[in-house]
């Protein structure tokens, strides 16, 4: 049931862009952009993303203190439940080692963005390559191509059948604790989504009139795939990449929370900060609230923009 549900959602997104022109002749992306500009959900998501990226880029330069400096270590006594909350000079208070939480949040934003982008790129590139092979084989490969496509898709279905977090935890546990491990583990989880999505979009485009016309003119199959079918199949993949960034940030934070993230305590990352704060939640809940809110709002921004893009590309919702 889980496989069917995931596959149906992915296939639906692939079908949203099967029609490349609207009835008025406006291009798909031009019409989608027009709808996005009037979507409050897209605007809110875009504003959140822009603010997050700005903080991630310039945050480390604006941090008032070193994120690893235990300047106020003598003022906190975690074993006794004594912490320092927000005050002048330490806007978010101090953590259990006497480090400035505001500075760590600013610097940690860059690490969180880095993990999300790299993990998504890993899934996108690997899934893109698998999707091209499978989609091309199914579309123009004949009987042999359909058999190749069937084998690839059964493997992809096996990956989709596993809960994404469980698969990521398994990969991270095998590879060992590190930031690179988190990126790879989360990226691998994204591979089957991108692969099936691109393959489904290529299948939807494969029956278009321009493909039949190119075949009747004797154009080589490889050229049809690379210059015609593939470019017209990328819209849902771009939408999914936006949504996957939200998923990647949440899953990376989950892996860090489980102790599989970056083992270096001097490098702040929101998921690691959340994991470190769990022991002291009864005495200093702010230590957990700040990174948790940061993760939630950031993921919300990417989700809102991705969902707005999905709706803007849906032919049934265009008016």
């Amino acid at each position: 049931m889980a496989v069917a549900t995931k596959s149906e959602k992915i296939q639906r997104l692939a079908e949203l862009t099967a029609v490349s022109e609207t009835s008025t002749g406006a291009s798909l992306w031009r019409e989608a952009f027009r709808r996005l500009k009037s979507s409050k959900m897209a605007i809110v998501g875009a504003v959140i993303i822009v603010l997050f990226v700005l903080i991630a880029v310039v945050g480390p330069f604006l941090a008032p203190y070193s994120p690893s400096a235990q300047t106020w270590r003598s003022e906190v006594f975690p074993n006794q439940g004594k912490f320092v909350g927000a005050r002048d000079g330490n806007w978010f208070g101090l953590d259990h080692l006497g480090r400035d939480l505001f500075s760590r949040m600013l610097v940690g934003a860059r690490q969180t963005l880095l993990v999300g982008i790299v993990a998504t790129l890993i899934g996108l590139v690997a899934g893109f390559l698998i999707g091209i092979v499978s989609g091309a084989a199914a579309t123009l490969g004949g009987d042999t191509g359909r058999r190749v496509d069937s084998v690839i898709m059964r493997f992809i279905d096996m990956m989709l059948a596993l809960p994404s977090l469980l698969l990521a935890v398994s990969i991270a546990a095998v590879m060992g604790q590190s930031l690179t491990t988190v990126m790879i583990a989360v990226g691998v989880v994204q591979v089957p989504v991108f692969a099936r999505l691109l393959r489904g979009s290529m299948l939807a485009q494969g029956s278009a009139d321009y493909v039949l016309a190119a075949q009747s003119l004797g154009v080589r199959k490889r050229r049809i795939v690379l210059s015609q079918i593939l470019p017209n199949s990328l819209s849902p993949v771009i939408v999914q990449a936006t949504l996957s960034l939200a998923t990647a940030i949440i899953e990376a934070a989950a892996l860090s929370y489980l102790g599989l993230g970056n083992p270096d305590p001097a490098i702040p990352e929101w998921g690691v900060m959340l994991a470190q704060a769990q022991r002291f939640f009864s005495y200093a809940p702010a230590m957990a609230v700040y990174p948790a809110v940061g993760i939630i709002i950031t993921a919300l921004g990417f989700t809102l923009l991705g969902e707005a893009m999905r709706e803007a590309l849906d032919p049934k919702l265009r008016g």
Side-chain angles (χ1 to χ4, degrees):
M1 182 62 68
V3 177
T5 302
K6 288 183 180 180
S7 299
E8 289 172 0
K9 290 181 179 179
I10 295 172
Q11 185 64 30
R12 173 57 184 154
L13 180 56
E15 292 172 352
L16 294 184
T17 54
V19 180
S20 59
E21 297 290 330
T22 66
S23 58
T24 61
S27 68
L28 175 68
W29 280 104
R30 185 181 303 171
E31 178 69 13
F33 184 69
R34 182 187 66 80
R35 292 174 59 84
L36 281 176
K37 289 193 299 182
S38 61
S39 171
K40 294 182 180 179
M41 183 167 62
I43 294 174
V44 172
V47 169
I48 293 174
I49 293 172
V50 169
L51 289 176
F52 171 60
V53 172
L54 285 176
I55 292 173
V57 172
V58 304
F61 302 103
L62 299 178
Y65 308 103
S66 168
S68 59
Q70 301 180 19
T71 307
W72 298 274
R73 183 67 180 85
S74 60
E75 298 185 33
V76 296
F77 300 92
N79 293 333
Q80 301 176 21
K82 296 181 179 180
F83 291 86
V84 176
R87 65 182 184 182
D88 187 25
N90 303 113
W91 294 351
F92 288 178
L94 306 176
D95 70 357
H96 62 293
L97 295 177
R99 298 173 296 192
D100 182 57
L101 275 176
F102 180 70
S103 299
R104 290 181 63 79
M105 283 293 296
L106 290 178
V107 178
R110 175 176 293 185
Q111 293 296 316
T112 301
L113 178 63
L114 177 65
V115 171
I117 290 179
V118 173
T120 301
L121 285 177
I122 291 173
L124 176 61
V125 172
F128 187 82
L129 295 175
I130 295 174
I132 290 177
V133 173
S134 183
T139 304
L140 300 175
D143 293 338
T144 302
R146 283 189 286 272
R147 285 194 291 269
V148 172
D149 170 63
S150 180
V151 172
I152 295 176
M153 284 300 103
R154 297 298 76 74
F155 176 73
I156 294 298
D157 286 343
M158 290 173 57
M159 295 184 67
L160 287 173
L162 296 173
S164 58
L165 184 58
L166 177 60
L167 179 59
V169 169
S170 301
I171 296 173
V174 171
M175 296 185 62
Q177 184 182 15
S178 71
L179 189 62
T180 302
T181 293
V182 172
M183 295 177 182
I184 295 176
V186 176
V188 170
V189 170
Q190 306 286 351
V191 171
V193 177
F194 285 112
R196 179 168 278 279
L197 184 58
L198 181 57
R199 180 253 187 188
S201 184
M202 291 180 68
L203 287 179
Q205 293 290 337
S207 58
D209 293 340
Y210 68 85
V211 175
L212 300 177
Q215 287 180 295
S216 65
L217 293 174
V219 181
R220 296 179 61 181
K221 293 182 179 180
R222 179 182 300 177
R223 184 176 179 182
I224 295 175
V225 170
L226 296 179
S227 65
Q228 301 294 329
I229 297 178
L230 182 58
N232 289 306
S233 303
L234 295 179
S235 298
V237 178
I238 296 173
V239 174
Q240 184 59 41
T242 305
L243 293 170
S244 293
L245 273 168
T247 304
I249 290 173
I250 293 175
E251 291 182 345
L255 292 180
S256 298
Y257 184 82
L258 294 174
L260 298 172
N262 190 356
D264 187 357
I267 302 178
E269 192 268 323
W270 289 352
V272 176
M273 292 174 63
L274 187 59
Q276 294 173 344
Q278 65 175 334
R279 294 180 297 162
F280 313 107
F281 188 79
S282 299
Y283 305 105
M287 285 179 56
V289 170
Y290 291 132
V293 170
I295 292 170
I296 292 171
I297 293 178
T298 302
L300 177 64
F302 285 109
T303 301
L304 290 176
L305 182 59
E307 290 295 337
M309 291 174 65
R310 190 202 302 269
E311 292 182 3
L313 289 167
D314 193 338
K316 294 183 178 180
L317 297 178
R318 295 184 210 143

